[in-house]
Amino acid sequence: MTLAPCPVFIGGEWNRLNNLSTTPVHNPSTGDVIAEAPLCTSQHVNDAVEAAAAAFPAWAETPPTDRARILFRFKTLLEENFEDLVRSNTREHGKTLVESRGDVKRGIEMVEFACGVPSLLMGEALENVARGIDCDTIRQPLGVCAGITPFNFPCMVPLWMYPVALVCGNTFVLKPSEKVPLTSIKVVELLEKAGLPKGVLNIVHGGRECVDALLTHPKIKAISFVGSTPVARYIYEVGTKHGKRVQSNGGAKNFVLLMPDADIDNSVRGVVEAAFGCAGERCMAGSTAVVVGGAANSVLPPLVEAARRIKIGPTDRDPQPDMGPLITRQHRDRVAHLIETGAKEGARIAADGRAIKPDSSPNGFFLGATVLDEVQPAMTVMREEIFGPVLNVLRMEDLDAAIDLANTSPYGNGASIFTCSGKAAREFKHRIKCGMVGINVGVPASMAWFPFNGWNESFFGDLHMQGKEGVQFFTQLKVTMSRWFSFGEGDVWYRESKK
Ligand code: NAD
């Protein structure tokens, strides 16, 4: 059976572009092809940008409160359709229903944040900066903005971008990951239903050609990107070269320090969730555990046991497993190959997920939870972002050595420590070189009201997504100095009143 390509949304019209090359979208639990994503060309991107540019003047003039009211309706519709979005998310991504609920919930929180953005759009004013002269600032939208998103949070990551961009008065072109375009389409259908005017938000699908057309289009003012570091760097370099404002989130390798005094049950639970939640396909995955001193004897054995107990299976049906499949067969094979490379380079496979296959779904892209112990900093598994259910374990003598090790990472999204010592936690928080820190929290991904705060090669740009920085990214400041010499017609009254 041939599947029709997913529709694009341009100028308020949903359109299936036939006669284009497509790329398959899978249900990773079964391996079945469930949709075809069209590979849009620069012509389609141009159509979408022109539609967004045409919609911009009227949308920018719409009062911020009216723009926010559309987002309030959008939030209600997202809540009413919550389970439908959750199932769509799980079907095309493969994460469990519980994990998809988290994905959709965090997306809705971004819309809640965006509903309150009008107060963040307010400027500042100072009277009498010089005699009779006042100064004030206002925030204005940029114009047409674009968003390019990864596969791993089909609902949440696009919602990091366009709700804030739109409420600030911009129009938008979204290119979701070609691996998971379906949930984005459902979400945008709800925004359309909430009353968004035609052309304010547009969707195109595709890969590199489509992205390059966005990066170089003269009418696009700003680009938000989330994805792997090599592509994030490319987006930043090409986008800024073409005069655009760019915020570009890259990959990561996040360290979790386990101190000898860590609460064993809570830290095991925290690390298992951090390493294997969403099958490790998270930029905030705690993929590297550093066991410090005696933690190698207290925390590590139950941690390995807990990893061995993780049940994998298809997520598109009941009963739900603990962990679902990886996104594609190629990615599954790449992660399995990295595990073998780790073993060849001297790591010890303490829990081996490679042979685990659920009988109920033989063609799904499954890989069980794996723990590589005795990993060394120079190994391939330490240099590459694995992005799968693999936990590297390194052993260090003390906190100093563990922090120094974590700080050699070229990335800088997040790091956590499990300890009962306030002094150790404080030292860690102060010295660790990354932008999101967890203390007895495995995955310190910041909430909508705070910046999603990558450092180093996990972020290219100046202003992060989420929070006030997100609003600053999608607006430009205007500073006005004003002085008035006469009252005009009021002058008569003024002169009279002074007599
Ligand atoms: P990816 O970089 O392969 O793709 C991301 C987007 O870029 C997709 O829309 C894709 O179509 C496009 N793309 C891919 N290759 C391209 C190229 N050569 N030129 C132009 N565009 C290209 O990432 P992915 O595999 O979809 O997602 C996983 C990655 O995203 C991981 O590295 C993960 O750490 C990262 N990620 C980062 C964050 C963060 O906030 N830092 C959040 C989620 C995911």
Side-chain angles (χ1 to χ4, degrees):
M1 188 181 70
T2 38
L3 294 160
C6 309
V8 295
F9 187 53
I10 297 178
E13 306 295 329
W14 292 98
N15 217 334
R16 291 185 195 274
L17 302 168
N18 295 309
N19 310 322
L20 270 189
S21 305
T22 60
T23 182
V25 180
H26 291 96
N27 174 350
S29 286
T30 59
D32 295 342
V33 176
I34 53 172
E36 292 285 343
L39 298 173
C40 289
T41 64
S42 53
Q43 180 56 50
H44 307 113
V45 169
N46 187 55
D47 292 347
V49 176
E50 289 296 343
F56 176 68
W59 182 246
E61 287 302 322
T62 304
T65 45
D66 288 351
R67 298 195 296 248
R69 273 183 202 115
I70 295 175
L71 291 179
F72 271 110
R73 288 197 290 276
F74 181 41
K75 167 185 146 56
T76 305
L77 288 167
L78 288 168
E79 284 166 344
E80 285 170 5
N81 292 274
F82 188 82
E83 278 303 313
D84 181 43
L85 296 173
V86 163
R87 284 184 190 275
S88 164
N89 208 68
T90 283
R91 186 162 171 260
E92 66 179 341
H93 177 278
K95 61 180 79 173
T96 66
L97 291 176
V98 168
E99 290 164 346
S100 277
R101 286 189 189 106
D103 190 334
V104 178
K105 191 165 161 281
R106 294 294 290 257
I108 293 175
E109 282 169 4
M110 272 312 293
V111 181
E112 286 168 351
F113 168 73
C115 288
V117 159
S119 59
L120 295 175
L121 287 174
M122 286 164 58
E124 294 172 315
L126 182 64
E127 200 183 30
N128 274 341
V129 288
R131 274 178 204 285
I133 299 183
D134 300 334
C135 186
D136 67 59
T137 62
I138 53 175
R139 290 202 163 274
Q140 295 189 326
L142 305 174
V144 181
C145 302
I148 301 154
T149 56
F151 77 82
N152 67 324
F153 280 88
C155 189
M156 177 185 78
V157 171
L159 290 173
W160 280 355
M161 302 172 179
Y162 63 80
V164 176
L166 298 185
V167 78
C168 289
N170 304 286
T171 54
F172 206 87
V173 179
L174 172 68
K175 194 218 73 78
S177 165
E178 66 280 21
K179 297 185 180 111
V180 292
L182 302 173
T183 308
S184 277
I185 290 173
K186 277 181 183 280
V187 171
V188 171
E189 280 171 351
L190 296 176
L191 184 50
E192 184 190 15
K193 213 168 153 186
L196 193 75
K198 285 180 191 301
V200 172
L201 178 67
N202 306 272
I203 303 189
V204 291
H205 302 286
R208 175 122 191 208
E209 180 180 352
C210 192
V211 171
D212 282 345
L214 289 167
L215 291 178
T216 54
H217 199 293
K219 288 195 179 167
I220 289 188
K221 301 292 181 200
I223 304 266
S224 296
F225 173 85
V226 177
S228 57
T229 288
V231 185
R233 185 186 285 110
Y234 171 78
I235 299 281
Y236 183 77
E237 286 172 359
V238 179
T240 51
K241 195 170 154 214
H242 285 82
K244 296 166 203 335
R245 209 177 256 208
V246 179
Q247 51 179 196
S248 193
N249 291 13
K253 208 152 179 81
N254 307 304
F255 284 69
V256 183
L257 270 57
L258 293 161
M259 298 301 289
D261 64 351
D263 176 285
I264 295 177
D265 289 348
N266 283 321
S267 41
V268 167
R269 206 173 305 123
V271 178
V272 164
E273 157 59 17
F276 304 114
C278 297
E281 291 175 326
R282 265 197 306 213
C283 69
M284 291 302 284
S287 54
T288 307
V290 184
V291 288
V292 177
N297 299 325
S298 57
V299 188
L300 190 53
L303 177 59
V304 171
E305 265 319 298
R308 288 190 185 134
R309 280 199 303 273
I310 292 174
K311 287 201 175 60
I312 64 169
T315 49
D316 59 348
R317 66 198 83 156
D318 287 331
Q320 284 284 297
D322 301 319
M323 192 170 89
L326 296 184
I327 187 71
T328 57
R329 176 164 290 114
Q330 293 92 310
H331 184 54
R332 186 226 165 270
D333 293 346
R334 175 185 165 270
V335 177
H337 180 70
L338 277 167
I339 297 170
E340 271 143 43
T341 307
K344 273 191 205 137
E345 292 178 8
R348 188 172 65 78
I349 304 182
D352 190 350
R354 284 172 302 171
I356 303 177
K357 259 197 167 68
D359 296 337
S360 59
S361 205
N363 298 322
F365 312 140
F366 294 100
L367 186 68
T370 298
V371 179
L372 292 177
D373 193 6
E374 294 164 31
V375 168
Q376 298 300 320
M379 289 180 180
T380 308
V381 287
M382 281 297 288
R383 284 185 278 109
E384 287 197 24
E385 183 188 30
I386 300 177
F387 220 58
V390 180
L391 176 66
N392 288 338
V393 178
L394 293 92
R395 293 149 184 256
M396 286 288 144
E397 279 297 294
D398 56 26
L399 179 62
D400 264 1
I403 293 176
D404 288 347
L405 171 72
N407 283 345
T408 60
S409 170
Y411 298 105
N413 251 9
S416 292
I417 188 168
F418 283 86
T419 180
C420 289
S421 157
K423 175 76 177 156
R426 199 257 171 205
E427 188 71 8
F428 175 76
K429 176 181 172 180
H430 183 63
R431 283 178 45 199
I432 197 74
K433 290 187 179 141
C434 69
M436 289 173 274
V437 176
I439 296 173
N440 296 317
V441 169
V443 183
S446 48
M447 310 278 296
W449 294 264
F450 294 88
F452 198 89
N453 207 40
W455 283 13
N456 307 331
E457 296 197 357
S458 293
F459 179 69
F460 302 88
D462 300 293
L463 293 166
H464 293 89
M465 287 165 221
Q466 301 194 162
K468 285 182 207 156
E469 285 193 36
V471 176
Q472 288 163 4
F473 180 79
F474 285 118
T475 51
Q476 50 198 344
L477 209 58
K478 189 177 277 180
V479 185
T480 305
M481 295 268 245
S482 49
R483 176 164 62 176
W484 299 92
F485 295 105
S486 77
F487 285 97
E489 285 179 12
D491 252 2
V492 177
W493 162 82
Y494 181 71
R495 270 184 268 113
E496 287 302 311
S497 72
K498 290 283 172 195
K499 276 182 185 163

